[in-house]
Amino acid sequence: MIIDVHAHWGPWFFTMDVAGLSLAAMDRYGIDMAIVSATEAVIYDAPAGNRALANFLATTESTRLFGYVTINPRRLAEGERDLRELLPTGLFLGVKIHTDYTGSPIPRLRETLALVAEAGCPALVHTWGASVLDLAQVCLDTPGLRVIAGHMGADGHRYAIEAASACDRLYLEPCYSHAPAGRIAEVVAGVDPRRLLFGTDSTLIDPASAFGAVAAARLDRETAELIAWRNAAELFDIPLG
């Protein structure tokens, strides 16, 4: 069983015709379930992208895809409306926030993440470098908030270890466009394995990158299962079987 907690649905803004590849990529790599954000929602128009994804999830026969409600922190009223309308459908399991595309550094996300905590769902937040430490602090300051550090800081994975040690409601997922030697193994050695998840950044990045990085860490079977699906199933309350 594999659950991908960081995936995308829909075409990108550059020449890359991958709109229909979510399930095909999952089949190729044996990914059983994925939680996806609408590309349109992340990079351009959050409400329009969220509704396009909602329509797709409602009409597809697949039970392998769930959605993130993407929120632009600069348009919080729209995000609040989308959460109120879309979370009750059961098609969406959490919130996606991209800090760079929206020009919203993590210290400015307090109001947004308080809304997420009130909604009772996890949030996947884009992190890079030391920003993962800011995310840990906001999480500590927001009762009930559960956050996933997308890319686990990317080139700042050592900051991610520090952040996860400081906040037991912060989770890490590893996808990254580079594959530094030993990155995954170092994080696994320094973090409670119950707070590690699996993500690929598909369809932006081929899942082979994440699979290869995790395989290189030579995880024991119990840790590998926690990362592959058990932690995600618990965090998102995903019914299995």
Side-chain angles (χ1 to χ4, degrees):
M1 171 71 72
I2 299 174
I3 299 175
D4 183 353
V5 304
H6 190 159
H8 304 278
W9 171 84
W12 290 91
F13 55 84
F14 41 83
T15 303
M16 187 174 175
D17 186 12
V18 295
L21 288 184
S22 294
L23 289 169
M26 291 168 65
D27 289 340
R28 181 177 182 184
Y29 291 98
I31 298 170
D32 297 276
M33 295 184 182
I35 309 174
V36 300
S37 56
T39 304
E40 179 184 9
V42 172
I43 65 174
Y44 181 61
D45 186 327
N50 287 335
R51 277 155 185 75
L53 178 57
N55 182 64
F56 171 77
L57 294 173
T59 56
T60 181
E61 295 182 358
S62 175
T63 58
R64 299 167 60 195
L65 294 176
F66 294 94
Y68 283 113
V69 177
T70 298
I71 292 181
N72 182 341
R74 293 176 177 271
R75 298 183 173 183
L76 196 53
E78 293 178 349
E80 185 174 7
R81 182 195 64 199
D82 287 359
L83 276 176
R84 186 173 59 251
E85 293 181 8
L86 298 176
L87 277 183
T89 66
L91 301 172
F92 292 80
L93 300 182
V95 166
K96 171 70 178 286
I97 301 171
H98 200 296
T99 52
D100 289 350
Y101 287 148
T102 62
S104 305
I106 288 172
R108 298 182 183 177
L109 299 183
R110 290 181 178 274
E111 189 175 359
T112 305
L113 291 174
L115 183 66
V116 174
E118 184 179 350
C121 63
L124 172 63
V125 181
H126 183 271
T127 62
W128 205 272
S131 68
V132 67
L133 295 174
D134 294 329
L135 184 60
Q137 187 59 57
V138 174
C139 189
L140 286 169
D141 295 340
T142 309
L145 177 64
R146 295 168 294 156
V147 292
I148 303 167
H151 310 295
M152 63 183 193
D155 61 351
H157 67 277
R158 293 187 176 93
Y159 293 119
I161 295 172
E162 182 181 348
S165 299
C167 179
D168 63 5
R169 289 177 282 116
L170 184 143
Y171 296 76
L172 306 176
E173 68 83 15
C175 65
Y176 184 27
S177 54
H178 301 276
R183 175 174 175 262
I184 303 295
E186 186 175 351
V187 171
V188 170
V191 174
D192 182 343
R194 294 172 296 179
R195 302 227 306 286
L196 301 174
L197 305 167
F198 180 71
T200 67
D201 216 2
S202 177
T203 55
L204 180 61
I205 299 175
D206 192 296
S209 176
F211 275 100
V214 172
R218 300 180 182 274
L219 306 176
D220 62 78
R221 181 172 181 175
E222 181 179 359
T223 301
E225 285 192 357
L226 287 172
I227 294 173
W229 66 274
R230 290 189 183 277
N231 292 337
E234 181 178 355
L235 176 62
F236 288 98
D237 194 22
I238 297 174
L240 300 174

